[in-house]
Amino acid sequence: MTDTVEPRISRGLRDLLPDQMLARQSMIDTIRRVYELYGFVPLSTPAIEFLDVLSGSAGTEAQQSIFRVTNPENEALGLRFDLTVPLARVIAQYADLPRPFRRYQVAPVWRADKPDKGRYREFTQFDLDSVGTVSEVADTEIIAGMCDTLSSLEVGRYLVRFSSRAVLNLLLDFAGIGPEQGADVFRVLDKLDKVGLDKVSRELMNGYKDESGDTIRGVGLDGSQVDRIKRFLDIKSDSRREVAARLRELFATLDHAPAQIDVVERISNHLYALGYDDDRVSLDLSIARGLAYYTGPVFEAILLDAPQFGSIFGGGRYDGLVMRFLGEAIPAVGASIGVDRLLAALAHLGRVDTRKATARVLVTNMDKALTDDYLQMTWELRRAGIPTEFYIGTAKRLGKQLEYADQYDIPLAILCGSNEKAKGEVTVKNMAAGRAKAKMLDDRSSWLAERPGQTTIPRERLVEGIRELLAEIESA
RNA sequence: GCCGAGGUAGCUCAGUUGGUUAGAGCACCAGAUUGUGGAUCUGGGGGUCGCCGGUUCGAUCCCGGCCCUCGGUACCA
């Protein structure tokens, strides 16, 4: 007989507690700085869209993973499953937006799939897109931006691999595969990294029976078609120039091949000119991307020091997406970062912000009669730009208050009781110093007697004194 | 979706061949210490034993169904 509600959240969703949010925000801030440096502008769109706006680009199986939403008017609505479709809607709806429209957007999206390790039903994407330009410079700066982002995040070595759907379409011609099978072929090729060439070629032909007993249906190509695909995939080199050259050789018999290979090579050359060399951007013909709507260059990034996280950043050119809304093709190219996956990778690499608190100083509450003194100190520090917190909990014992600072990793605590007040000074405690000292002592009373990490500063020099101590801590 | 394992305190888990008040460690709270964090000691709070039904004098334990979680596999616009 209880009237309380069990606190819980639906599967695939999660809370992000303060330490996780601090890590996430500082990562997002770093990425945002890169894109604002590139001159991209922010955009926000509603989480909820009309169902017919969302569906269509995706096909029926995609529609199943849309979260349905109801409103009082009983309209057919759903939660967005990516940021690209809402962007296409905005482009079509606001005809007076200056183009090219180059925007970034960081926001949660929802997919009603089965949750899995590292896969949630609500997750955050950071997207950047340039809409309304066919220029290869747009593709180039998306790729360069991916590099600059990963460099800023200090993720170690990374590789942005790119190819082109137009080149893959040449492959369909070369192998005698009809365009209706193209999407299936690309979807299978996209698994190459994960399952290997052997399984991919079997899946391209008759399919096979998986270890778990599941049948994987084949695409139905014949042996000679798969051989031609293998010759294409065989073109591998650390040099983008060499890949392009060998590609020209392989497709020598196709009339329209040179023009498409030129596009890829121009991007590659722009990147060479900017110093994005073969060590971090490669022309990799096995990159296909699973998505159906890509029409031109496609790209994805992997972390060489954490390859198990897979593609943490991917995108491509999609010149047909706005057509649905406008009846007019508007070219666009963009990329999307899986914020959660990238964050997991950063955590794995030890590159995340590990702060637990925003406050740098805790003003302890030692004597109720001095409350206004404490508030004045707190606001003095705040007005000087030093993040400061006054202890507003109920614990009267000083030990509890210091424990609070310890738990939140607040580096400095200010102690000011009637003794300090009388002398016109405050005691400042460096929490980390005491923590280090505690490891070496096992006798409590001597540790207490030592008062580790404590200094005294005159009350009137509060701000300067705290600044100096914080600077010391930060440089340590 | 498919194969396998599991569900007992906030967390990690033990346990009961079916029997009265279900345990440990960690975490949490209080005190030893009314002006000093760690360690230690003492005490304390916290459980529909996943849910529903069946068998039984009696079920956390046995049986059935369902739900959920984890591992593998597939899918992922």
Side-chain angles (χ1 to χ4, degrees):
Chain A
M1 274 312 136
T2 172
D3 57 355
T4 61
V5 175
E6 189 196 344
R8 72 218 137 99
I9 52 179
S10 170
R11 67 207 220 136
L13 307 180
R14 66 211 155 123
D15 297 310
L16 296 170
L17 296 179
D19 51 342
Q20 298 169 289
M21 279 306 287
L22 287 167
R24 168 177 292 251
Q25 281 179 342
S26 79
M27 184 186 86
I28 288 172
D29 285 347
T30 301
I31 301 170
R32 193 191 343 252
R33 273 194 293 276
V34 172
Y35 291 111
E36 293 197 349
L37 185 65
Y38 273 56
F40 283 76
V41 292
L43 174 73
S44 174
T45 61
I48 301 169
E49 295 271 0
F50 281 112
L51 216 46
D52 61 339
V53 166
L54 291 177
S55 40
S57 77
T60 49
E61 87 184 54
Q63 289 190 34
Q64 292 190 334
S65 57
I66 295 176
F67 268 100
R68 301 301 170 88
V69 172
T70 55
N71 69 358
E73 292 76 24
N74 242 341
E75 293 171 310
L77 303 167
L79 296 178
R80 63 173 171 228
F81 53 83
D82 73 7
L83 301 176
T84 311
V85 168
L87 171 65
R89 194 210 84 228
V90 165
I91 294 297
Q93 194 172 336
Y94 302 88
D96 56 347
L97 277 177
R99 292 189 207 153
F101 182 62
R102 298 164 69 251
R103 81 90 178 80
Y104 70 85
Q105 181 168 8
V106 50
V109 301
W110 293 266
R111 294 184 193 177
D113 299 325
K114 187 185 148 194
D116 213 334
K117 194 172 185 69
R119 264 182 75 188
Y120 302 92
R121 284 180 168 173
E122 177 184 53
F123 56 99
T124 301
Q125 292 192 326
F126 194 126
D127 277 34
L128 56 140
D129 296 83
S130 290
V131 184
T133 174
V134 294
S135 166
E136 286 103 30
V137 174
D139 307 71
T140 302
E141 72 175 0
I142 297 287
I143 293 174
M146 289 167 81
C147 290
D148 289 356
T149 299
L150 295 170
S151 293
S152 304
L153 290 170
E154 298 175 5
V155 293
R157 296 174 311 132
Y158 57 85
L159 187 63
V160 178
R161 302 183 293 179
F162 80 105
S163 180
S164 166
R165 275 296 170 82
V167 168
L168 286 163
N169 285 331
L170 294 171
L171 171 66
L172 296 182
D173 284 355
F174 178 69
I177 299 165
E180 72 286 347
Q181 283 185 301
D184 279 336
V185 171
F186 299 156
R187 183 178 48 76
V188 175
L189 286 184
D190 192 53
K191 298 195 221 170
L192 196 61
D193 262 1
K194 217 166 127 191
V195 303
L197 184 58
D198 185 52
K199 283 187 177 176
V200 163
S201 50
R202 281 195 287 166
E203 185 168 353
L204 285 172
M205 294 196 275
N206 302 317
Y208 58 96
K209 203 166 218 116
D210 181 75
E211 301 89 72
S212 68
D214 237 19
T215 41
I216 295 177
R217 67 173 202 296
V219 177
L221 302 186
D222 64 38
S224 71
Q225 289 176 311
V226 171
D227 278 348
R228 291 198 153 207
I229 290 175
K230 281 181 176 169
R231 282 170 63 194
F232 173 80
L233 293 175
D234 238 20
I235 301 178
K236 280 186 210 136
S237 167
D238 289 341
S239 158
R240 303 199 296 262
R241 282 196 186 92
E242 190 187 330
V243 171
R246 286 173 58 190
L247 191 56
R248 281 183 205 279
E249 263 172 57
L250 185 70
F251 288 167
T253 56
L254 301 174
D255 302 341
H256 44 301
Q260 299 301 344
I261 298 172
D262 282 349
V263 170
V264 170
E265 194 146 39
R266 276 198 295 273
I267 293 172
S268 172
N269 287 338
H270 289 322
L271 289 166
Y272 279 133
L274 293 168
Y276 299 97
D277 287 332
D278 292 323
D279 61 324
R280 51 180 171 156
V281 182
S282 82
L283 180 51
D284 183 334
L285 300 178
S286 69
I287 299 302
R289 307 289 298 160
L291 283 175
Y293 58 61
Y294 290 125
T295 57
V298 286
F299 24 79
E300 59 185 48
I302 53 168
L303 303 181
L304 295 173
D305 298 330
Q308 67 273 31
F309 291 91
S311 156
I312 40 87
F313 204 144
R317 181 167 277 280
Y318 49 99
D319 286 345
L321 204 55
V322 184
M323 180 80 89
R324 272 182 55 224
F325 298 108
L326 219 50
E328 175 197 344
I330 293 184
V333 58
S336 177
I337 304 170
V339 165
D340 307 271
R341 199 190 274 192
L342 180 55
L343 196 60
L346 289 182
H348 174 78
L349 294 169
R351 299 291 340 171
V352 294
D353 187 337
T354 53
R355 283 185 305 158
K356 294 185 205 155
T358 50
R360 308 294 289 155
V361 180
L362 177 76
V363 178
T364 60
N365 184 0
M366 291 174 71
D367 184 345
K368 203 172 177 188
L370 299 179
T371 300
D372 279 340
D373 291 71
Y374 300 141
L375 292 178
Q376 280 159 5
M377 289 181 216
T378 303
W379 260 260
E380 216 171 296
L381 291 165
R382 287 175 179 174
R383 285 168 181 154
I386 299 166
T388 303
E389 175 172 351
F390 171 53
Y391 183 81
I392 54 174
T394 51
K396 287 190 187 67
R397 284 182 47 200
L398 184 58
K400 284 279 134 199
Q401 301 187 30
L402 293 174
E403 195 180 312
Y404 175 83
D406 212 26
Q407 283 168 335
Y408 274 105
D409 249 341
I410 299 173
L412 292 180
I414 290 178
L415 282 57
C416 181
S418 49
N419 299 347
E420 286 89 346
K421 167 84 174 168
K423 289 193 234 166
E425 53 188 38
V426 299
T427 298
V428 185
K429 198 172 178 65
N430 177 341
M431 301 299 290
R435 203 179 302 125
K437 203 87 197 170
K439 287 195 180 127
M440 298 183 278
L441 289 172
D442 45 25
D443 171 46
R444 180 187 166 80
S445 54
S446 62
W447 181 63
L448 288 185
E450 196 179 325
R451 304 268 154 105
Q454 275 186 215
T455 50
T456 299
I457 57 180
R459 172 64 185 85
E460 65 269 20
R461 285 197 68 250
L462 179 70
V463 168
E464 298 90 315
I466 291 291
R467 265 208 188 107
E468 286 159 17
L469 287 166
L470 284 174
E472 240 173 71
I473 289 167
E474 252 130 61
S475 65

